[in-house]
Amino acid sequence: MNATSNPQTAAEQGLKNYRDVTIPDAPVPETVRAMVEKAVDQSREVYDRSKDALDASVATLERTFDAAGQGAVAFNRKLIDIAQRNVSSGFDLAKSLAGAKNLSEMVEFQTAYWQKLLGTLVSQAEEVRALSTKVATAAGEPLKEQVKRGMDELRKAN
């Protein structure tokens, strides 16, 4: 059996040829190494900037969600306060009606209650509107600041 027909010898020769092709002993030129090092350094800088931008975005979202959460709490407290005032006002009417001496006095108490209630509802609607504007502004402020910082950085880069 000759060397080319021996399977073991053919496999060894194929492995040697593969190693010669895939694992050359030629030195890497200095210019190639310098170019690769520069590419790695530039990639690292881009990664670091991207990581910083991502960290800033996450922090902005956290501040936005915190502000929105605090705003929701304040909004809910305002609605509860309004509801409690309205219930209290209803009890005051009930107490007045219970102490009324006649039907005419009851109508007078109810008329005064409804007039006061309509004015109160307008005032309460304004309170809710003002609070919702404040909450929306506070929740959007971190995003507004992040966009401003981003624009400032773009101006500096150009």
Side-chain angles (χ1 to χ4, degrees):
M1 197 179 244
N2 64 24
T4 57
S5 62
N6 180 345
Q8 182 65 34
T9 307
E12 289 172 4
Q13 185 61 41
L15 184 58
K16 180 185 177 306
N17 291 343
Y18 175 77
R19 285 187 183 137
D20 289 345
V21 172
T22 59
I23 309 173
D25 287 337
V28 176
E30 183 61 36
T31 56
V32 172
R33 277 191 279 160
M35 188 172 64
V36 170
E37 284 179 16
K38 183 177 179 182
V40 168
D41 289 344
Q42 288 174 340
S43 296
R44 181 61 173 193
E45 288 175 17
V46 169
Y47 167 77
D48 288 341
R49 283 195 308 266
S50 297
K51 181 182 170 291
D52 292 344
L54 178 62
D55 289 345
S57 295
V58 168
T60 297
L61 288 174
E62 287 173 349
R63 288 192 310 274
T64 300
F65 291 144
D66 284 346
Q70 291 171 3
V73 168
F75 196 76
N76 287 336
R77 285 185 177 152
K78 176 58 74 178
L79 293 177
I80 290 169
D81 175 58
I82 287 171
Q84 288 174 337
R85 285 186 278 162
N86 290 345
V87 168
S88 179
S89 176
F91 279 124
D92 290 344
L93 171 64
K95 187 171 184 170
S96 296
L97 290 174
K101 296 183 176 110
N102 56 44
L103 184 60
S104 174
E105 204 171 69
M106 290 175 85
V107 170
E108 188 179 313
F109 288 147
Q110 281 188 319
T111 302
Y113 170 78
W114 285 111
Q115 287 175 345
K116 181 181 174 189
L117 182 62
L118 289 175
T120 300
L121 290 176
V122 170
S123 170
Q124 290 171 345
E126 176 56 28
E127 287 179 50
V128 169
R129 186 207 58 78
L131 182 59
S132 7
T133 300
K134 182 180 174 184
V135 166
T137 300
E141 194 60 35
L143 292 172
K144 184 177 171 184
E145 290 170 7
Q146 179 68 20
V147 169
K148 183 181 180 310
R149 276 194 303 271
M151 296 302 290
D152 290 345
E153 288 177 14
L154 281 175
R155 284 189 201 104
K156 289 177 187 175
N158 293 329

